[in-house]
Amino acid sequence: MAEENESSGGGKKKLIIFIVLGLVLIGASVGGTLFALGFFDEAKTEQTEEGDSEGEENSEEAEEGEEGDEMEAAEPTPSAIYLPLKPAIIVNFEARGRQRYLQAEVTLMMRTDQALSAAELHMPMIRNALVMLFSGQIYEELQTPEGKELVRQLALEEVQTMMDREIGEPGVEQVLFTNFVMQ
């Protein structure tokens, strides 16, 4: 009977040790993560600010004010506006005696409402230019990443030239392929 009490007591001790060890490891993990994320940096800066004299605080506030003025002076870039060309552009090719197809879903990226309304107004002309551009490409070259990037750059130049002619500015910042299927 005495042996049973000693073995169960030893088992309880091991269980308690494992639980404490687990809690210590979890605490160390959380602390390390917070330290790596810089959570404790703010606490240090608050402690040092409390210990500073008022003259030093005023100079720090003046420096922060100057940084804020610089941020206000730099105008934020307007957010991007995306205009998907629906339906997808489909063109066909003759490659090594076989009929081949390209289906490209294209999205235009711009930053002004004026460019958006102009692109919507001239959508038939933009789609026509892209169909003519894509169908004039060589099928084998479009299968490479370089060929796809080249046709994307050509499409951007084509759309920007057209928009410049219509509204007096390029308007479109990027031509993006959201889907590019060749068969």
Side-chain angles (χ1 to χ4, degrees), residues 113-135:
D113 290 330
Q114 178 190 7
L116 176 65
S117 61
E120 288 172 340
L121 177 67
H122 300 292
M123 187 59 65
M125 200 163 54
I126 292 171
R127 288 184 62 82
N128 177 62
L130 292 177
V131 166
M132 299 306 284
L133 175 70
F134 294 165
S135 64

Side-chain angles (χ1 to χ4, degrees), residues 26-176:
I26 291 171
S29 175
V30 169
T33 303
L34 292 175
F35 181 76
L37 294 174
F39 183 76
F40 298 114
D41 293 344
E42 290 181 29
K44 288 181 183 179
T45 57
E46 288 175 9
Q47 290 173 355
T48 56
E49 285 179 5
E50 289 174 1
D52 288 342
S53 67
E54 284 195 29
E56 291 176 2
E57 286 179 11
N58 290 339
S59 65
E60 287 178 5
E61 288 174 5
E63 288 174 11
E64 289 176 7
E66 290 172 6
E67 290 174 7
D69 292 341
E70 290 174 9
M71 294 177 113
E72 289 175 11
E75 291 183 25
T77 17
S79 61
I81 302 169
Y82 297 99
L83 176 65
L85 277 61
K86 295 290 181 188
I89 296 175
I90 300 173
V91 294
N92 58 343
F93 300 95
E94 183 73 30
R96 290 184 255 156
R98 296 185 66 191
Q99 193 70 19
R100 301 288 186 169
Y101 296 94
L102 163 69
Q103 175 182 344
E105 291 182 12
V106 179
T107 299
L108 305 178
M109 184 182 96
M110 54 209 77
R111 299 216 182 255
T112 64
D113 290 330
Q114 178 190 7
L116 176 65
S117 61
E120 288 172 340
L121 177 67
H122 300 292
M123 187 59 65
M125 200 163 54
I126 292 171
R127 288 184 62 82
N128 177 62
L130 292 177
V131 166
M132 299 306 284
L133 175 70
F134 294 165
S135 64
Q137 301 301 309
I138 298 170
Y139 182 80
E140 287 79 15
E141 289 178 6
L142 287 177
Q143 290 178 317
T144 66
E146 295 84 15
K148 291 174 186 166
E149 179 60 24
L150 178 63
V151 78
R152 192 188 70 76
Q153 291 293 329
L154 291 171
L156 176 62
E157 290 174 13
E158 184 72 27
V159 171
Q160 284 180 336
T161 301
M162 188 178 311
M163 293 290 284
D164 193 32
R165 188 175 49 228
E166 296 299 325
I167 64 170
E169 64 180 53
V172 175
E173 194 173 306
Q174 288 290 327
V175 170
L176 306 167

Side-chain angles (χ1 to χ4, degrees), residues 13-35:
K13 286 180 184 177
K14 286 182 184 179
L15 181 63
I16 291 173
I17 289 172
F18 284 131
I19 290 174
V20 169
L21 184 62
L23 290 174
V24 168
L25 289 174
I26 291 171
S29 175
V30 169
T33 303
L34 292 175
F35 181 76

